[in-house]
Amino acid sequence: MKKKARHLIELLFGSILSLLGFSGCEIIGLGREEYGQPHADFKVLGEVTDMDGKPIKGIRVVSQRHWHLNNRPGVIYDENDGYLPKDTLYTDENGKFEKAYGSWDTVIVPMDVGFVIEDIDGEENGGNFVKQEIVGEVKQTKKGDGHWYDGAYESEISVKMEKSDK
């Protein structure tokens, strides 16, 4: 008899609580629930020339996106830096390079992009050039929709390479 009474009371209270519509997310202030994943469009691009302004073909450009995560209320993790795997690009006959990342490749928008620009073909394409390392700034080029899409961003650099003495 006690088991039946207890079961009836549990059903009654469970039904009442579900009818009142208590929501765990709103109580702790995390906002409304939506389906999806944060995403943004991102692009790295640039131009590599010699000191006279002539484009250099075949220069290897290695880029690495970097971000820094700060602690936020309600989120548990240490302050840290994050890096995505390096991408290797090569300049075309106009000395330009470009890579666009799809929306789902950019869940967190990077703070900056590290670039390593290196001549790998020696004397071909105008001479032997000195390796350079540059940090590119990230700029927003399109606003987000206020929900999951954060907008479009890019990091663009322009590099003048010096010839090596070797």
Side-chain angles (χ1 to χ4, degrees):
M1 181 72 175
K2 285 185 178 181
K3 274 188 169 181
K4 284 187 178 185
R6 182 177 175 185
H7 183 66
L8 184 61
I9 291 172
E10 287 175 354
L11 283 174
L12 180 65
F13 282 125
S15 299
I16 291 171
L17 288 174
S18 68
L19 289 174
L20 292 175
F22 287 109
S23 170
C25 291
E26 292 298 323
I27 291 172
I28 59 174
L30 295 177
R32 69 181 188 195
E33 290 183 46
E34 293 182 11
Y35 293 101
Q37 174 178 340
H39 61 281
D41 295 312
F42 190 77
K43 185 183 341 181
V44 295
L45 65 153
E47 179 180 35
V48 180
T49 62
D50 63 13
M51 296 307 280
D52 297 327
K54 294 178 187 171
I56 308 171
K57 178 183 175 183
I59 297 293
R60 180 172 62 192
V61 179
V62 178
S63 67
Q64 186 170 35
R65 294 174 280 166
H66 162 251
W67 67 88
H68 180 78
L69 301 173
N70 291 314
N71 290 336
R72 293 180 291 154
V75 179
I76 302 170
Y77 55 80
D78 293 329
E79 289 187 355
N80 57 46
D81 289 308
Y83 295 92
L84 286 173
K86 296 177 182 178
D87 286 320
T88 302
L89 309 168
Y90 296 91
T91 57
D92 62 15
E93 59 276 345
N94 299 317
K96 297 185 184 287
F97 66 91
E98 180 175 329
K99 178 163 184 182
Y101 299 89
S103 292
W104 303 110
D105 293 332
T106 311
V107 175
I108 298 173
V109 176
M111 297 175 59
D112 56 55
V113 179
F115 292 94
V116 178
I117 301 96
E118 187 173 16
D119 183 5
I120 58 168
D121 62 14
E123 290 297 325
E124 287 184 43
N125 298 316
N128 193 13
F129 296 93
V130 178
K131 176 180 173 180
Q132 292 189 36
E133 295 185 22
I134 297 174
V135 175
E137 185 179 321
V138 173
K139 294 181 182 176
Q140 187 170 17
T141 59
K142 180 181 175 185
K143 295 284 184 194
D145 63 6
H147 296 285
W148 288 113
Y149 180 64
D150 288 335
Y153 298 81
E154 68 180 35
S155 182
E156 183 174 9
I157 63 168
S158 181
V159 179
K160 290 189 179 275
M161 297 194 73
E162 292 183 41
K163 287 192 177 182
S164 175
D165 294 336
K166 297 179 185 178

